[in-house]
Amino acid sequence: MFEAPNTVVMTHSGFLMTNDRGTKILRYHRDGGFDRTVAPNGSGPGEVQRIAFGTRIFDNRVAFWDLYKGAILVFEPDGTFVFDLNINAKLNPHQMNATGASFAWPEPDTLILGNVTSQKQPDIQAVALKVDWDTPKRVRGVALDRVLSLKDTNHEAIFGSKINTTLTQVGDHFWLGSAHFSSFARLNPYEKGKPTPYQAIKFPQALTPKDYEAIEPTDHKARFTLINSKGTIFNIMAFDHLVFVQVGVMGFVPFDTSGRQLENQRIICRISRLVDTYQGLVMFVTPRKNIGNLERLFKVNLFEDSPHDLGDDDQPYVVLMRLRKKFQAP
């Protein structure tokens, strides 16, 4: 059906995923059985144009950021469409604009946006908003509660802006990955004070502002290499007592939930893309050819006869795993 899902969010009863272009949302049961298409491509309510981010929110619901609509779409875990929120229409009176894609909505009256531009404060990166409801399915308006983090406008003036695509809840904090450097910010929307500074990740050849001094602003290939090899933040995966921060395409750096770095090196992931964690489970999406490697590594039989198995080495498979017991919560 597609090469690999753009976005995947696990729930207690299954998982919601997009196709590779993010132009529709499908639901699968926890055993991998296909349920249905819950959001087709289109411009109407409950339809999607280009999904760029997904996350679990308040009341056990799931929400997605539609890049082309500039809206947040909310679904029940079973895929039932609830409502959508055109966030930029609500931000216009505040002279702010949400540029996507990362957000968090931990409580009905608290909405966190990971990418915001402001005419009044050009260096704003992330904000916490207070949400005012008209009905349980309709937002009347939003108000700025506090600025959570700032961006490096000098760097962006030279190399151009990029959006932060990772925002993950870890305890009471929300970790926001940098789109430019090997760093992240631990945001706390419930504490007043100064915006949270970014925390550098320490490992050999981490991506810092100094690396950009060696390349020309117009050399997009060199910048692409820096982002993927030395690494900006591609993903943040949280367990009960352990957090994996993906720095660059393949490497993960482990942290505890307080933000303390546990290893000064990257752990290389060799099976493919880690896409989500939920209640101790970790989900990968990997080509069929890697399933054979997993069988040999763990000495288990993973393949079963299925009419959906095309025998194509590049066919994507969802793989569920758990941390080994010594790394799980005590």
Side-chain angles (χ1 to χ4, degrees):
M1 183 180 294
F2 44 81
E3 292 180 0
N6 173 300
T7 303
V8 182
V9 182
M10 284 192 284
T11 71
H12 66 276
S13 60
F15 43 96
L16 301 177
M17 67 164 60
T18 70
N19 58 356
D20 54 346
R21 294 176 295 166
T23 56
K24 59 182 176 180
I25 303 174
L26 308 100
R27 182 178 182 273
Y28 289 80
H29 300 290
R30 277 295 277 271
D31 65 0
F34 175 69
D35 181 10
R36 69 192 193 280
T37 298
V38 301
N41 182 239
S43 56
E47 298 176 337
V48 301
Q49 293 185 351
R50 185 59 63 88
I51 298 300
F53 182 82
T55 187
R56 290 173 292 275
I57 63 170
F58 64 90
D59 291 343
N60 294 318
R61 290 170 170 167
V62 178
F64 296 89
W65 177 272
D66 193 312
L67 191 64
Y68 288 176
K69 281 187 169 183
I72 295 172
L73 285 76
V74 178
F75 297 84
E76 297 290 357
D78 66 1
T80 302
F81 175 66
V82 183
F83 67 90
D84 59 17
L85 171 62
N86 187 326
I87 187 63
N88 280 326
K90 306 300 181 184
L91 287 174
N92 283 341
H94 304 283
Q95 295 183 294
M96 290 192 299
N97 182 63
T99 55
S102 55
F103 68 92
W105 207 340
E107 300 172 357
D109 64 349
T110 301
L111 176 59
I112 303 164
L113 300 178
N115 301 272
V116 170
T117 59
S118 169
Q119 297 178 17
K120 295 180 180 179
Q121 294 179 260
D123 59 347
I124 283 182
Q125 179 70 62
V127 299
L129 304 173
K130 286 297 180 185
V131 182
D132 180 28
W133 293 86
D134 190 13
T135 71
K137 295 184 179 181
R138 182 175 178 178
V139 173
R140 180 184 294 114
V142 297
L144 178 64
D145 184 41
R146 60 167 294 205
V147 175
L148 298 174
S149 68
L150 305 176
K151 59 186 177 183
D152 185 340
T153 54
N154 291 327
H155 177 86
E156 290 197 355
I158 299 172
F159 292 96
S161 62
K162 286 180 65 67
I163 62 172
N164 294 20
T165 58
T166 59
L167 183 61
T168 302
Q169 184 168 2
V170 181
D172 292 332
H173 288 75
F174 295 82
W175 292 22
L176 179 67
S178 171
H180 296 280
F181 310 112
S182 301
S183 60
F184 67 94
R186 295 176 65 246
L187 312 178
N188 189 338
Y190 308 111
E191 288 185 359
K192 303 294 183 181
K194 295 181 179 180
T196 302
Y198 278 83
Q199 173 180 331
I201 300 177
K202 301 175 183 178
F203 64 90
Q205 296 185 328
L207 181 54
T208 67
K210 195 168 187 64
D211 291 297
Y212 286 94
E213 296 176 3
I215 66 173
E216 294 293 330
T218 56
D219 191 344
H220 301 296
K221 183 177 180 181
R223 186 185 184 190
F224 180 82
T225 300
L226 284 179
I227 288 173
N228 285 280
S229 59
K230 289 194 170 184
T232 58
I233 309 306
F234 278 54
N235 215 332
I236 299 174
M237 293 292 168
F239 298 91
D240 287 340
H241 291 269
L242 187 66
V243 183
F244 288 139
V245 179
Q246 184 180 356
V247 188
V249 175
M250 297 295 283
F252 291 85
V253 180
F255 289 79
D256 66 18
T257 54
S258 69
R260 181 172 63 95
Q261 187 170 332
L262 302 177
E263 295 285 347
N264 290 336
Q265 62 185 20
R266 288 189 289 181
I267 300 169
I268 302 302
C269 172
R270 298 193 182 277
I271 94 160
S272 203
R273 194 161 60 98
L274 191 156
V275 294
D276 198 15
T277 56
Y278 181 70
Q279 295 182 343
L281 285 175
V282 55
M283 177 186 284
F284 290 84
V285 175
T286 190
R288 186 185 193 279
K289 59 188 174 185
N290 283 343
I291 304 296
N293 296 333
L294 290 174
E295 287 186 319
R296 288 186 289 274
L297 177 65
F298 294 108
K299 296 180 174 60
V300 296
N301 181 32
L302 298 175
F303 279 116
E304 296 180 0
D305 291 336
S306 168
H308 303 290
D309 185 356
L310 305 178
D312 182 352
D313 277 350
D314 293 324
Q315 181 181 356
Y317 276 75
V318 166
V319 180
L320 297 179
M321 296 184 177
R322 292 187 185 274
L323 290 175
R324 289 181 175 173
K325 287 186 177 181
K326 66 178 180 179
F327 298 114
Q328 294 177 12

